[in-house]
Short mmCIF file of all heavy atoms in Angstrom, two decimals:
data_model
loop_
_atom_site.label_atom_id
_atom_site.label_comp_id
_atom_site.label_asym_id
_atom_site.label_seq_id
_atom_site.Cartn_x
_atom_site.Cartn_y
_atom_site.Cartn_z
N ASP A 1 -7.10 109.91 1.85
CA ASP A 1 -6.61 111.25 2.17
C ASP A 1 -5.10 111.14 2.41
O ASP A 1 -4.65 110.54 3.39
CB ASP A 1 -7.31 111.79 3.40
CG ASP A 1 -6.86 113.20 3.75
OD1 ASP A 1 -5.99 113.74 3.05
OD2 ASP A 1 -7.39 113.76 4.73
N LEU A 2 -4.32 111.70 1.50
CA LEU A 2 -2.88 111.55 1.54
C LEU A 2 -2.17 112.78 2.09
O LEU A 2 -0.96 112.90 1.94
CB LEU A 2 -2.35 111.23 0.13
CG LEU A 2 -2.96 110.00 -0.56
CD1 LEU A 2 -2.34 109.83 -1.94
CD2 LEU A 2 -2.76 108.74 0.27
N THR A 3 -2.90 113.66 2.73
CA THR A 3 -2.31 114.92 3.20
C THR A 3 -1.15 114.66 4.16
O THR A 3 -0.06 115.21 4.00
CB THR A 3 -3.38 115.78 3.89
OG1 THR A 3 -4.46 115.99 2.97
CG2 THR A 3 -2.79 117.12 4.31
N GLU A 4 -1.39 113.83 5.16
CA GLU A 4 -0.34 113.54 6.14
C GLU A 4 0.83 112.82 5.47
O GLU A 4 2.00 113.10 5.77
CB GLU A 4 -0.90 112.68 7.27
CG GLU A 4 0.15 112.34 8.33
CD GLU A 4 -0.34 111.33 9.35
OE1 GLU A 4 -1.55 111.03 9.37
OE2 GLU A 4 0.50 110.83 10.12
N LEU A 5 0.52 111.89 4.56
CA LEU A 5 1.58 111.16 3.87
C LEU A 5 2.51 112.12 3.15
O LEU A 5 3.74 112.01 3.27
CB LEU A 5 0.94 110.18 2.88
CG LEU A 5 1.89 109.32 2.02
CD1 LEU A 5 1.22 107.99 1.69
CD2 LEU A 5 2.27 110.02 0.71
N HIS A 6 1.96 113.06 2.41
CA HIS A 6 2.80 113.95 1.63
C HIS A 6 3.62 114.87 2.54
O HIS A 6 4.79 115.18 2.23
CB HIS A 6 1.95 114.76 0.66
CG HIS A 6 1.41 113.94 -0.46
ND1 HIS A 6 2.20 113.14 -1.26
CD2 HIS A 6 0.13 113.77 -0.93
CE1 HIS A 6 1.45 112.53 -2.17
NE2 HIS A 6 0.20 112.90 -1.99
N ALA A 7 3.06 115.27 3.66
CA ALA A 7 3.82 116.12 4.58
C ALA A 7 5.01 115.36 5.14
O ALA A 7 6.13 115.90 5.22
CB ALA A 7 2.91 116.61 5.71
N ARG A 8 4.80 114.11 5.52
CA ARG A 8 5.89 113.33 6.09
C ARG A 8 6.92 112.96 5.01
O ARG A 8 8.12 112.92 5.28
CB ARG A 8 5.34 112.08 6.77
CG ARG A 8 4.42 112.39 7.94
CD ARG A 8 4.09 111.19 8.78
NE ARG A 8 5.26 110.72 9.52
CZ ARG A 8 5.20 109.78 10.47
NH1 ARG A 8 4.03 109.26 10.81
NH2 ARG A 8 6.29 109.39 11.08
N PHE A 9 6.44 112.71 3.81
CA PHE A 9 7.37 112.41 2.72
C PHE A 9 8.24 113.62 2.40
O PHE A 9 9.45 113.49 2.19
CB PHE A 9 6.61 111.95 1.48
CG PHE A 9 7.47 111.29 0.44
CD1 PHE A 9 7.61 109.92 0.41
CD2 PHE A 9 8.16 112.05 -0.49
CE1 PHE A 9 8.42 109.30 -0.54
CE2 PHE A 9 8.97 111.45 -1.44
CZ PHE A 9 9.10 110.07 -1.47
N ASP A 10 7.63 114.80 2.37
CA ASP A 10 8.40 116.02 2.10
C ASP A 10 9.50 116.22 3.14
O ASP A 10 10.63 116.58 2.81
CB ASP A 10 7.47 117.24 2.10
CG ASP A 10 6.64 117.34 0.83
OD1 ASP A 10 7.09 116.82 -0.21
OD2 ASP A 10 5.54 117.92 0.88
N ALA A 11 9.17 115.96 4.41
CA ALA A 11 10.17 116.12 5.48
C ALA A 11 11.30 115.11 5.31
O ALA A 11 12.49 115.44 5.47
CB ALA A 11 9.50 115.95 6.84
N ALA A 12 10.95 113.87 4.97
CA ALA A 12 11.98 112.84 4.77
C ALA A 12 12.84 113.17 3.56
O ALA A 12 14.07 112.98 3.58
CB ALA A 12 11.31 111.48 4.59
N LEU A 13 12.22 113.69 2.50
CA LEU A 13 12.96 114.04 1.31
C LEU A 13 14.00 115.13 1.60
O LEU A 13 15.14 115.06 1.12
CB LEU A 13 11.99 114.50 0.23
CG LEU A 13 12.51 114.62 -1.19
CD1 LEU A 13 12.98 113.27 -1.73
CD2 LEU A 13 11.40 115.18 -2.09
N ALA A 14 13.60 116.09 2.40
CA ALA A 14 14.54 117.15 2.76
C ALA A 14 15.74 116.59 3.53
O ALA A 14 16.89 116.99 3.31
CB ALA A 14 13.83 118.21 3.61
N THR A 15 15.49 115.63 4.41
CA THR A 15 16.58 115.01 5.16
C THR A 15 17.50 114.21 4.25
O THR A 15 18.73 114.30 4.34
CB THR A 15 16.01 114.09 6.26
OG1 THR A 15 15.21 114.87 7.16
CG2 THR A 15 17.12 113.40 7.03
N VAL A 16 16.89 113.42 3.36
CA VAL A 16 17.69 112.59 2.45
C VAL A 16 18.56 113.46 1.54
O VAL A 16 19.71 113.11 1.24
CB VAL A 16 16.76 111.67 1.64
CG1 VAL A 16 17.54 110.97 0.52
CG2 VAL A 16 16.12 110.62 2.56
N ARG A 17 18.03 114.58 1.12
CA ARG A 17 18.80 115.45 0.23
C ARG A 17 20.07 115.99 0.89
O ARG A 17 21.05 116.30 0.21
CB ARG A 17 17.93 116.61 -0.25
CG ARG A 17 16.90 116.20 -1.31
CD ARG A 17 16.29 117.42 -1.98
NE ARG A 17 15.29 117.05 -2.97
CZ ARG A 17 15.54 116.63 -4.20
NH1 ARG A 17 16.81 116.52 -4.61
NH2 ARG A 17 14.56 116.33 -5.04
N THR A 18 20.08 116.08 2.22
CA THR A 18 21.30 116.54 2.90
C THR A 18 22.42 115.52 2.80
O THR A 18 23.58 115.86 3.06
CB THR A 18 21.02 116.84 4.39
OG1 THR A 18 20.70 115.62 5.07
CG2 THR A 18 19.87 117.84 4.55
N ARG A 19 22.09 114.29 2.42
CA ARG A 19 23.10 113.23 2.32
C ARG A 19 23.51 112.92 0.88
O ARG A 19 24.24 111.96 0.63
CB ARG A 19 22.59 111.96 3.00
CG ARG A 19 22.25 112.14 4.48
CD ARG A 19 22.13 110.81 5.18
NE ARG A 19 20.96 110.05 4.77
CZ ARG A 19 19.80 110.05 5.41
NH1 ARG A 19 19.64 110.79 6.51
NH2 ARG A 19 18.79 109.32 4.98
N LEU A 20 23.02 113.69 -0.08
CA LEU A 20 23.36 113.42 -1.48
C LEU A 20 24.87 113.43 -1.68
O LEU A 20 25.57 114.31 -1.17
CB LEU A 20 22.70 114.45 -2.39
CG LEU A 20 21.18 114.36 -2.54
CD1 LEU A 20 20.67 115.49 -3.43
CD2 LEU A 20 20.75 113.01 -3.09
N GLY A 21 25.35 112.44 -2.40
CA GLY A 21 26.77 112.36 -2.71
C GLY A 21 27.62 111.70 -1.64
O GLY A 21 28.84 111.59 -1.81
N ALA A 22 27.00 111.25 -0.57
CA ALA A 22 27.77 110.60 0.51
C ALA A 22 28.34 109.26 0.01
O ALA A 22 27.82 108.64 -0.92
CB ALA A 22 26.88 110.37 1.72
N GLU A 23 29.43 108.83 0.66
CA GLU A 23 30.05 107.56 0.32
C GLU A 23 29.57 106.45 1.25
O GLU A 23 29.33 106.67 2.44
CB GLU A 23 31.58 107.67 0.41
CG GLU A 23 32.19 108.55 -0.65
CD GLU A 23 33.71 108.50 -0.65
OE1 GLU A 23 34.27 107.59 0.03
OE2 GLU A 23 34.33 109.34 -1.31
N TYR A 24 29.45 105.24 0.68
CA TYR A 24 29.00 104.07 1.43
C TYR A 24 29.90 102.89 1.09
O TYR A 24 30.29 102.71 -0.07
CB TYR A 24 27.55 103.73 1.09
CG TYR A 24 26.59 104.86 1.39
CD1 TYR A 24 26.28 105.81 0.41
CD2 TYR A 24 26.01 105.00 2.65
CE1 TYR A 24 25.41 106.85 0.68
CE2 TYR A 24 25.13 106.05 2.92
CZ TYR A 24 24.84 106.96 1.94
OH TYR A 24 23.98 108.01 2.21
N PRO A 25 30.20 102.04 2.07
CA PRO A 25 31.10 100.92 1.81
C PRO A 25 30.36 99.71 1.27
O PRO A 25 29.12 99.63 1.29
CB PRO A 25 31.64 100.61 3.21
CG PRO A 25 30.47 100.93 4.10
CD PRO A 25 29.80 102.13 3.49
N SER A 26 31.09 98.73 0.80
CA SER A 26 30.61 97.36 0.78
C SER A 26 30.76 96.84 2.21
O SER A 26 31.48 97.41 3.04
CB SER A 26 31.43 96.50 -0.19
OG SER A 26 31.16 96.84 -1.54
N TRP A 27 30.07 95.74 2.52
CA TRP A 27 30.16 95.15 3.87
C TRP A 27 30.62 93.71 3.75
O TRP A 27 29.90 92.85 3.22
CB TRP A 27 28.81 95.23 4.58
CG TRP A 27 28.41 96.64 4.92
CD1 TRP A 27 27.61 97.48 4.20
CD2 TRP A 27 28.82 97.38 6.07
NE1 TRP A 27 27.50 98.70 4.83
CE2 TRP A 27 28.23 98.67 5.98
CE3 TRP A 27 29.64 97.09 7.17
CZ2 TRP A 27 28.42 99.65 6.94
CZ3 TRP A 27 29.83 98.07 8.13
CH2 TRP A 27 29.22 99.33 8.02
N ILE A 28 31.83 93.46 4.22
CA ILE A 28 32.45 92.14 4.11
C ILE A 28 32.88 91.67 5.49
O ILE A 28 33.57 92.39 6.22
CB ILE A 28 33.68 92.19 3.17
CG1 ILE A 28 33.24 92.62 1.76
CG2 ILE A 28 34.36 90.82 3.10
CD1 ILE A 28 34.40 92.80 0.79
N ALA A 29 32.46 90.46 5.84
CA ALA A 29 32.83 89.86 7.13
C ALA A 29 32.47 90.76 8.31
O ALA A 29 33.21 90.82 9.30
CB ALA A 29 34.31 89.49 7.15
N GLY A 30 31.38 91.48 8.18
CA GLY A 30 30.91 92.32 9.27
C GLY A 30 31.58 93.66 9.37
O GLY A 30 31.29 94.43 10.29
N LYS A 31 32.47 93.98 8.43
CA LYS A 31 33.22 95.24 8.50
C LYS A 31 33.04 96.03 7.20
O LYS A 31 32.84 95.46 6.12
CB LYS A 31 34.70 94.96 8.73
CG LYS A 31 34.98 94.28 10.06
CD LYS A 31 36.47 94.02 10.25
CE LYS A 31 36.75 93.34 11.58
NZ LYS A 31 38.20 93.06 11.76
N ALA A 32 33.11 97.36 7.33
CA ALA A 32 33.04 98.23 6.16
C ALA A 32 34.26 98.03 5.28
O ALA A 32 35.40 98.00 5.78
CB ALA A 32 32.93 99.68 6.60
N HIS A 33 34.02 97.89 3.99
CA HIS A 33 35.10 97.69 3.02
C HIS A 33 35.12 98.88 2.08
O HIS A 33 34.19 99.08 1.28
CB HIS A 33 34.88 96.39 2.24
CG HIS A 33 35.84 96.19 1.11
ND1 HIS A 33 37.16 95.90 1.30
CD2 HIS A 33 35.65 96.25 -0.24
CE1 HIS A 33 37.77 95.76 0.13
NE2 HIS A 33 36.87 95.98 -0.82
N ALA A 34 36.16 99.70 2.18
CA ALA A 34 36.31 100.89 1.34
C ALA A 34 37.44 100.65 0.34
O ALA A 34 38.61 100.78 0.67
CB ALA A 34 36.58 102.12 2.19
#
């Protein structure tokens, strides 16, 4: 029964979509590298 799984996935998908296009660094020597 995947009902709960799909509900939680839908909620997570909505959250992830708010971050589309965001920038992320490389990580070098413990620091963000832009």
Side-chain angles (χ1 to χ4, degrees):
D1 182 359
L2 304 180
T3 304
E4 180 188 349
L5 179 150
H6 289 307
R8 298 191 69 171
F9 194 94
D10 285 334
L13 193 62
T15 300
V16 170
R17 285 193 181 280
T18 66
R19 301 196 290 264
L20 290 178
E23 291 188 12
Y24 301 91
S26 289
W27 291 96
I28 299 175
K31 296 180 180 179
H33 172 71

